[in-house]
Short mmCIF file of all heavy atoms in Angstrom, two decimals:
data_model
loop_
_atom_site.label_atom_id
_atom_site.label_comp_id
_atom_site.label_asym_id
_atom_site.label_seq_id
_atom_site.Cartn_x
_atom_site.Cartn_y
_atom_site.Cartn_z
N PRO F 18 -0.35 10.32 11.48
CA PRO F 18 -0.67 9.18 12.36
C PRO F 18 -2.11 8.68 12.19
O PRO F 18 -2.35 7.47 12.21
CB PRO F 18 -0.44 9.73 13.77
CG PRO F 18 0.52 10.86 13.57
CD PRO F 18 0.16 11.46 12.24
N LEU F 19 -3.05 9.59 12.01
CA LEU F 19 -4.45 9.18 11.81
C LEU F 19 -4.61 8.46 10.48
O LEU F 19 -5.23 7.40 10.41
CB LEU F 19 -5.38 10.39 11.88
CG LEU F 19 -6.86 10.11 11.61
CD1 LEU F 19 -7.43 9.11 12.61
CD2 LEU F 19 -7.65 11.41 11.65
N LEU F 20 -4.03 9.01 9.43
CA LEU F 20 -4.14 8.37 8.11
C LEU F 20 -3.45 7.01 8.10
O LEU F 20 -3.95 6.06 7.50
CB LEU F 20 -3.56 9.28 7.03
CG LEU F 20 -4.31 10.60 6.85
CD1 LEU F 20 -3.59 11.48 5.83
CD2 LEU F 20 -5.76 10.38 6.46
N ASP F 21 -2.32 6.89 8.80
CA ASP F 21 -1.64 5.60 8.90
C ASP F 21 -2.49 4.58 9.65
O ASP F 21 -2.58 3.41 9.26
CB ASP F 21 -0.28 5.75 9.58
CG ASP F 21 0.73 6.52 8.72
OD1 ASP F 21 0.51 6.67 7.49
OD2 ASP F 21 1.75 6.96 9.29
N ALA F 22 -3.15 5.02 10.73
CA ALA F 22 -4.02 4.12 11.50
C ALA F 22 -5.22 3.68 10.67
O ALA F 22 -5.62 2.51 10.71
CB ALA F 22 -4.48 4.80 12.79
N LEU F 23 -5.78 4.60 9.90
CA LEU F 23 -6.90 4.25 9.03
C LEU F 23 -6.46 3.24 7.97
O LEU F 23 -7.15 2.24 7.73
CB LEU F 23 -7.48 5.50 8.37
CG LEU F 23 -8.28 6.42 9.30
CD1 LEU F 23 -8.52 7.77 8.65
CD2 LEU F 23 -9.58 5.77 9.71
N ALA F 24 -5.31 3.47 7.35
CA ALA F 24 -4.80 2.54 6.34
C ALA F 24 -4.56 1.16 6.94
O ALA F 24 -4.90 0.14 6.33
CB ALA F 24 -3.53 3.09 5.71
N ALA F 25 -4.00 1.12 8.15
CA ALA F 25 -3.75 -0.16 8.82
C ALA F 25 -5.05 -0.91 9.12
O ALA F 25 -5.07 -2.14 9.17
CB ALA F 25 -2.95 0.06 10.11
N ALA F 26 -6.14 -0.15 9.30
CA ALA F 26 -7.45 -0.75 9.56
C ALA F 26 -8.19 -1.11 8.27
O ALA F 26 -9.33 -1.56 8.32
CB ALA F 26 -8.30 0.21 10.41
N GLY F 27 -7.55 -0.89 7.13
CA GLY F 27 -8.17 -1.23 5.85
C GLY F 27 -9.08 -0.15 5.28
O GLY F 27 -9.88 -0.41 4.40
N VAL F 28 -8.96 1.07 5.79
CA VAL F 28 -9.79 2.19 5.33
C VAL F 28 -9.05 2.92 4.20
O VAL F 28 -7.88 3.28 4.36
CB VAL F 28 -10.08 3.17 6.49
CG1 VAL F 28 -10.92 4.34 6.00
CG2 VAL F 28 -10.79 2.43 7.62
N VAL F 29 -9.74 3.13 3.09
CA VAL F 29 -9.17 3.85 1.95
C VAL F 29 -9.59 5.30 2.04
O VAL F 29 -10.78 5.63 1.99
CB VAL F 29 -9.63 3.24 0.61
CG1 VAL F 29 -9.07 4.05 -0.56
CG2 VAL F 29 -9.21 1.78 0.51
N THR F 30 -8.61 6.19 2.21
CA THR F 30 -8.88 7.63 2.25
C THR F 30 -8.59 8.23 0.88
O THR F 30 -7.71 7.76 0.16
CB THR F 30 -8.02 8.33 3.32
OG1 THR F 30 -6.64 8.14 3.03
CG2 THR F 30 -8.33 7.77 4.70
N VAL F 31 -9.35 9.26 0.53
CA VAL F 31 -9.17 9.89 -0.78
C VAL F 31 -8.91 11.39 -0.68
O VAL F 31 -8.71 12.05 -1.69
CB VAL F 31 -10.37 9.61 -1.72
CG1 VAL F 31 -10.47 8.13 -2.03
CG2 VAL F 31 -11.67 10.12 -1.12
N GLY F 32 -8.91 11.93 0.53
CA GLY F 32 -8.61 13.34 0.73
C GLY F 32 -8.59 13.66 2.20
O GLY F 32 -9.28 13.01 3.00
N SER F 33 -7.77 14.64 2.57
CA SER F 33 -7.72 15.06 3.97
C SER F 33 -7.00 16.39 4.06
O SER F 33 -6.25 16.77 3.17
CB SER F 33 -6.99 14.02 4.83
OG SER F 33 -5.63 13.92 4.44
N CYS F 34 -7.25 17.09 5.16
CA CYS F 34 -6.55 18.34 5.44
C CYS F 34 -6.70 18.64 6.92
O CYS F 34 -7.77 18.46 7.49
CB CYS F 34 -7.12 19.49 4.61
SG CYS F 34 -6.14 21.00 4.69
N VAL F 35 -5.63 19.12 7.51
CA VAL F 35 -5.65 19.42 8.94
C VAL F 35 -6.39 20.73 9.23
O VAL F 35 -6.97 20.89 10.30
CB VAL F 35 -4.22 19.41 9.52
CG1 VAL F 35 -3.44 20.63 9.10
CG2 VAL F 35 -4.25 19.26 11.01
N ASN F 36 -6.42 21.66 8.27
CA ASN F 36 -7.17 22.91 8.43
C ASN F 36 -7.52 23.44 7.05
O ASN F 36 -6.80 24.29 6.51
CB ASN F 36 -6.39 23.94 9.24
CG ASN F 36 -7.23 25.15 9.59
OD1 ASN F 36 -8.18 25.50 8.88
ND2 ASN F 36 -6.89 25.81 10.67
N LEU F 37 -8.61 22.96 6.49
CA LEU F 37 -9.01 23.33 5.14
C LEU F 37 -9.32 24.82 5.02
O LEU F 37 -9.05 25.44 4.00
CB LEU F 37 -10.22 22.51 4.70
CG LEU F 37 -10.67 22.70 3.26
CD1 LEU F 37 -9.57 22.27 2.29
CD2 LEU F 37 -11.93 21.92 2.99
N SER F 38 -9.84 25.42 6.08
CA SER F 38 -10.17 26.84 6.05
C SER F 38 -8.92 27.68 5.84
O SER F 38 -8.88 28.57 4.99
CB SER F 38 -10.86 27.23 7.35
OG SER F 38 -11.22 28.58 7.33
N GLU F 39 -7.88 27.39 6.58
CA GLU F 39 -6.62 28.11 6.46
C GLU F 39 -6.00 27.90 5.08
O GLU F 39 -5.54 28.85 4.45
CB GLU F 39 -5.67 27.61 7.55
CG GLU F 39 -4.33 28.28 7.59
CD GLU F 39 -3.49 27.69 8.71
OE1 GLU F 39 -3.74 28.05 9.88
OE2 GLU F 39 -2.61 26.87 8.42
N ALA F 40 -6.01 26.65 4.61
CA ALA F 40 -5.43 26.36 3.30
C ALA F 40 -6.20 27.04 2.17
O ALA F 40 -5.60 27.61 1.25
CB ALA F 40 -5.40 24.84 3.07
N THR F 41 -7.53 27.02 2.24
CA THR F 41 -8.34 27.65 1.20
C THR F 41 -8.15 29.17 1.21
O THR F 41 -8.03 29.79 0.16
CB THR F 41 -9.82 27.29 1.36
OG1 THR F 41 -9.95 25.86 1.36
CG2 THR F 41 -10.66 27.86 0.24
N ALA F 42 -8.11 29.75 2.40
CA ALA F 42 -7.91 31.20 2.51
C ALA F 42 -6.57 31.61 1.91
O ALA F 42 -6.46 32.67 1.30
CB ALA F 42 -8.01 31.64 3.96
N ARG F 43 -5.58 30.76 2.06
CA ARG F 43 -4.25 31.06 1.54
C ARG F 43 -4.14 30.79 0.04
O ARG F 43 -3.56 31.57 -0.70
CB ARG F 43 -3.21 30.25 2.31
CG ARG F 43 -1.76 30.64 1.98
CD ARG F 43 -0.74 29.87 2.82
NE ARG F 43 -0.69 28.46 2.44
CZ ARG F 43 -1.10 27.45 3.21
NH1 ARG F 43 -1.58 27.68 4.41
NH2 ARG F 43 -1.02 26.21 2.80
N LEU F 44 -4.71 29.67 -0.42
CA LEU F 44 -4.50 29.24 -1.80
C LEU F 44 -5.61 29.62 -2.77
O LEU F 44 -5.36 29.74 -3.97
CB LEU F 44 -4.32 27.71 -1.83
CG LEU F 44 -3.15 27.17 -1.02
CD1 LEU F 44 -3.21 25.66 -0.93
CD2 LEU F 44 -1.83 27.65 -1.60
N TRP F 45 -6.85 29.79 -2.26
CA TRP F 45 -7.99 30.03 -3.16
C TRP F 45 -9.03 30.89 -2.45
O TRP F 45 -10.19 30.51 -2.31
CB TRP F 45 -8.58 28.70 -3.56
CG TRP F 45 -9.35 28.66 -4.82
CD1 TRP F 45 -9.45 29.62 -5.80
CD2 TRP F 45 -10.14 27.58 -5.29
NE1 TRP F 45 -10.24 29.21 -6.82
CE2 TRP F 45 -10.69 27.94 -6.54
CE3 TRP F 45 -10.44 26.33 -4.78
CZ2 TRP F 45 -11.51 27.10 -7.26
CZ3 TRP F 45 -11.26 25.50 -5.52
CH2 TRP F 45 -11.79 25.89 -6.75
N PRO F 46 -8.65 32.08 -1.98
CA PRO F 46 -9.55 32.89 -1.16
C PRO F 46 -10.84 33.29 -1.86
O PRO F 46 -11.88 33.43 -1.19
CB PRO F 46 -8.71 34.12 -0.81
CG PRO F 46 -7.64 34.16 -1.84
CD PRO F 46 -7.37 32.74 -2.22
N ALA F 47 -10.83 33.46 -3.16
CA ALA F 47 -12.05 33.86 -3.88
C ALA F 47 -13.13 32.79 -3.80
O ALA F 47 -14.32 33.10 -3.97
CB ALA F 47 -11.72 34.17 -5.33
N LYS F 48 -12.78 31.56 -3.54
CA LYS F 48 -13.74 30.45 -3.49
C LYS F 48 -14.42 30.31 -2.12
O LYS F 48 -15.48 29.68 -2.02
CB LYS F 48 -13.03 29.15 -3.87
CG LYS F 48 -13.94 28.00 -4.15
CD LYS F 48 -14.74 28.21 -5.42
CE LYS F 48 -15.50 26.96 -5.76
NZ LYS F 48 -16.50 27.16 -6.78
N LEU F 49 -13.85 30.89 -1.08
CA LEU F 49 -14.41 30.74 0.28
C LEU F 49 -15.88 31.13 0.39
O LEU F 49 -16.66 30.37 0.97
CB LEU F 49 -13.58 31.52 1.29
CG LEU F 49 -12.45 30.76 1.95
CD1 LEU F 49 -11.62 31.69 2.82
CD2 LEU F 49 -12.96 29.60 2.76
N PRO F 50 -16.31 32.28 -0.13
CA PRO F 50 -17.73 32.63 0.02
C PRO F 50 -18.68 31.59 -0.58
O PRO F 50 -19.70 31.26 0.03
CB PRO F 50 -17.85 33.97 -0.71
CG PRO F 50 -16.48 34.55 -0.65
CD PRO F 50 -15.55 33.36 -0.75
N ALA F 51 -18.36 31.06 -1.73
CA ALA F 51 -19.23 30.07 -2.37
C ALA F 51 -19.24 28.75 -1.58
O ALA F 51 -20.28 28.10 -1.47
CB ALA F 51 -18.78 29.81 -3.80
N LEU F 52 -18.11 28.38 -1.03
CA LEU F 52 -18.01 27.12 -0.29
C LEU F 52 -18.69 27.18 1.08
O LEU F 52 -19.04 26.15 1.64
CB LEU F 52 -16.55 26.72 -0.12
CG LEU F 52 -15.82 26.28 -1.38
CD1 LEU F 52 -14.33 26.14 -1.11
CD2 LEU F 52 -16.40 24.99 -1.93
N THR F 53 -18.87 28.38 1.62
CA THR F 53 -19.46 28.49 2.95
C THR F 53 -20.88 29.06 2.95
O THR F 53 -21.51 29.17 4.00
CB THR F 53 -18.57 29.38 3.85
OG1 THR F 53 -18.44 30.66 3.25
CG2 THR F 53 -17.21 28.76 4.08
N ALA F 54 -21.41 29.37 1.79
CA ALA F 54 -22.75 29.97 1.70
C ALA F 54 -23.84 28.91 1.81
O ALA F 54 -23.83 27.93 1.09
CB ALA F 54 -22.90 30.73 0.38
N GLY F 55 -24.76 29.11 2.72
CA GLY F 55 -25.97 28.27 2.80
C GLY F 55 -25.69 26.82 3.07
O GLY F 55 -24.57 26.38 3.27
N VAL F 56 -26.75 26.06 3.10
CA VAL F 56 -26.66 24.61 3.30
C VAL F 56 -26.47 23.96 1.94
O VAL F 56 -27.23 24.21 1.02
CB VAL F 56 -27.93 24.08 3.99
CG1 VAL F 56 -27.88 22.57 4.12
CG2 VAL F 56 -28.10 24.73 5.36
N GLN F 57 -25.45 23.15 1.86
CA GLN F 57 -25.15 22.47 0.60
C GLN F 57 -25.53 21.01 0.72
O GLN F 57 -25.41 20.42 1.79
CB GLN F 57 -23.67 22.62 0.26
CG GLN F 57 -23.26 24.08 0.10
CD GLN F 57 -21.77 24.25 -0.02
OE1 GLN F 57 -21.00 23.31 0.08
NE2 GLN F 57 -21.35 25.48 -0.22
N PRO F 58 -25.97 20.40 -0.36
CA PRO F 58 -26.38 19.00 -0.30
C PRO F 58 -25.19 18.04 -0.21
O PRO F 58 -24.08 18.38 -0.62
CB PRO F 58 -27.12 18.80 -1.63
CG PRO F 58 -26.48 19.79 -2.55
CD PRO F 58 -26.14 20.97 -1.68
N ALA F 59 -25.43 16.89 0.32
CA ALA F 59 -24.48 15.78 0.34
C ALA F 59 -23.14 16.17 0.95
O ALA F 59 -23.06 16.96 1.86
CB ALA F 59 -24.33 15.20 -1.06
N VAL F 60 -22.07 15.61 0.41
CA VAL F 60 -20.74 15.85 0.94
C VAL F 60 -20.28 17.23 0.51
O VAL F 60 -20.26 17.56 -0.68
CB VAL F 60 -19.75 14.77 0.43
CG1 VAL F 60 -18.34 15.06 0.88
CG2 VAL F 60 -20.20 13.39 0.93
N ASN F 61 -19.96 18.07 1.49
CA ASN F 61 -19.50 19.43 1.21
C ASN F 61 -18.54 19.87 2.31
O ASN F 61 -18.34 19.18 3.29
CB ASN F 61 -20.68 20.38 1.08
CG ASN F 61 -21.40 20.56 2.39
OD1 ASN F 61 -20.95 21.30 3.26
ND2 ASN F 61 -22.53 19.87 2.56
N TYR F 62 -17.98 21.06 2.15
CA TYR F 62 -16.98 21.55 3.09
C TYR F 62 -17.46 22.68 3.98
O TYR F 62 -16.67 23.29 4.67
CB TYR F 62 -15.75 22.04 2.31
CG TYR F 62 -15.07 20.96 1.52
CD1 TYR F 62 -15.11 20.97 0.13
CD2 TYR F 62 -14.36 19.95 2.14
CE1 TYR F 62 -14.46 19.99 -0.61
CE2 TYR F 62 -13.72 18.96 1.42
CZ TYR F 62 -13.77 19.00 0.04
OH TYR F 62 -13.13 18.02 -0.67
N ARG F 63 -18.76 22.99 4.00
CA ARG F 63 -19.24 24.17 4.70
C ARG F 63 -18.82 24.21 6.17
O ARG F 63 -18.14 25.13 6.60
CB ARG F 63 -20.76 24.30 4.59
CG ARG F 63 -21.28 25.59 5.22
CD ARG F 63 -22.79 25.76 5.08
NE ARG F 63 -23.20 27.08 5.48
CZ ARG F 63 -23.18 27.53 6.74
NH1 ARG F 63 -22.77 26.76 7.71
NH2 ARG F 63 -23.57 28.75 7.01
N ARG F 64 -19.23 23.24 6.96
CA ARG F 64 -18.89 23.25 8.39
C ARG F 64 -17.38 23.15 8.59
O ARG F 64 -16.82 23.81 9.47
CB ARG F 64 -19.61 22.12 9.12
CG ARG F 64 -19.31 22.12 10.61
CD ARG F 64 -20.11 21.11 11.39
NE ARG F 64 -19.64 21.06 12.77
CZ ARG F 64 -19.89 20.07 13.58
NH1 ARG F 64 -20.64 19.04 13.20
NH2 ARG F 64 -19.41 20.08 14.81
N THR F 65 -16.73 22.35 7.77
CA THR F 65 -15.27 22.19 7.86
C THR F 65 -14.59 23.55 7.73
O THR F 65 -13.69 23.88 8.50
CB THR F 65 -14.78 21.23 6.77
OG1 THR F 65 -15.46 19.98 6.92
CG2 THR F 65 -13.29 21.01 6.85
N LEU F 66 -15.04 24.34 6.75
CA LEU F 66 -14.44 25.66 6.53
C LEU F 66 -14.83 26.67 7.60
O LEU F 66 -13.99 27.38 8.13
CB LEU F 66 -14.85 26.18 5.15
CG LEU F 66 -14.19 25.47 3.97
CD1 LEU F 66 -14.93 25.77 2.68
CD2 LEU F 66 -12.73 25.84 3.86
N VAL F 67 -16.11 26.73 7.92
CA VAL F 67 -16.61 27.72 8.88
C VAL F 67 -15.96 27.53 10.26
O VAL F 67 -15.58 28.50 10.92
CB VAL F 67 -18.15 27.66 8.99
CG1 VAL F 67 -18.66 28.49 10.14
CG2 VAL F 67 -18.78 28.12 7.67
N GLU F 68 -15.80 26.28 10.68
CA GLU F 68 -15.27 26.01 12.02
C GLU F 68 -13.77 25.71 12.03
O GLU F 68 -13.20 25.43 13.09
CB GLU F 68 -16.05 24.85 12.66
CG GLU F 68 -17.51 25.20 12.89
CD GLU F 68 -18.30 24.07 13.53
OE1 GLU F 68 -17.69 23.21 14.22
OE2 GLU F 68 -19.53 24.05 13.36
N GLY F 69 -13.11 25.72 10.87
CA GLY F 69 -11.68 25.44 10.82
C GLY F 69 -11.33 24.02 11.23
O GLY F 69 -10.34 23.79 11.92
N LEU F 70 -12.16 23.08 10.81
CA LEU F 70 -11.99 21.69 11.21
C LEU F 70 -11.00 20.94 10.31
O LEU F 70 -10.75 21.33 9.18
CB LEU F 70 -13.33 20.97 11.16
CG LEU F 70 -14.44 21.55 12.02
CD1 LEU F 70 -15.75 20.81 11.77
CD2 LEU F 70 -14.07 21.53 13.50
N ALA F 71 -10.48 19.85 10.84
CA ALA F 71 -9.75 18.88 10.04
C ALA F 71 -10.79 17.99 9.36
O ALA F 71 -11.92 17.86 9.85
CB ALA F 71 -8.84 18.04 10.93
N PHE F 72 -10.43 17.40 8.23
CA PHE F 72 -11.37 16.47 7.60
C PHE F 72 -10.63 15.32 6.95
O PHE F 72 -9.45 15.41 6.61
CB PHE F 72 -12.26 17.18 6.57
CG PHE F 72 -11.66 17.27 5.19
CD1 PHE F 72 -11.95 16.31 4.23
CD2 PHE F 72 -10.81 18.30 4.86
CE1 PHE F 72 -11.39 16.38 2.96
CE2 PHE F 72 -10.25 18.39 3.60
CZ PHE F 72 -10.54 17.42 2.65
N VAL F 73 -11.36 14.22 6.81
CA VAL F 73 -10.89 13.06 6.05
C VAL F 73 -12.05 12.61 5.18
O VAL F 73 -13.17 12.43 5.67
CB VAL F 73 -10.44 11.89 6.96
CG1 VAL F 73 -10.03 10.68 6.12
CG2 VAL F 73 -9.30 12.32 7.88
N ARG F 74 -11.80 12.44 3.91
CA ARG F 74 -12.79 11.88 2.99
C ARG F 74 -12.33 10.46 2.68
O ARG F 74 -11.15 10.22 2.42
CB ARG F 74 -12.86 12.72 1.72
CG ARG F 74 -14.06 12.39 0.86
CD ARG F 74 -14.20 13.36 -0.28
NE ARG F 74 -14.90 14.55 0.19
CZ ARG F 74 -15.36 15.50 -0.62
NH1 ARG F 74 -15.16 15.42 -1.92
NH2 ARG F 74 -16.00 16.54 -0.13
#
Side-chain angles (χ1 to χ4, degrees):
L19 176 60
L20 297 175
D21 291 344
L23 288 166
V28 179
V29 177
T30 61
V31 296
S33 64
C34 189
V35 74
N36 189 333
L37 185 62
S38 182
E39 182 180 283
T41 304
R43 188 177 69 248
L44 301 171
W45 204 10
K48 193 68 173 168
L49 269 174
L52 290 171
T53 58
V56 176
Q57 299 171 357
V60 176
N61 67 78
Y62 298 110
R63 184 178 190 290
R64 181 174 173 198
T65 303
L66 288 164
V67 170
E68 296 180 24
L70 302 175
F72 86 94
V73 177
R74 193 173 276 191

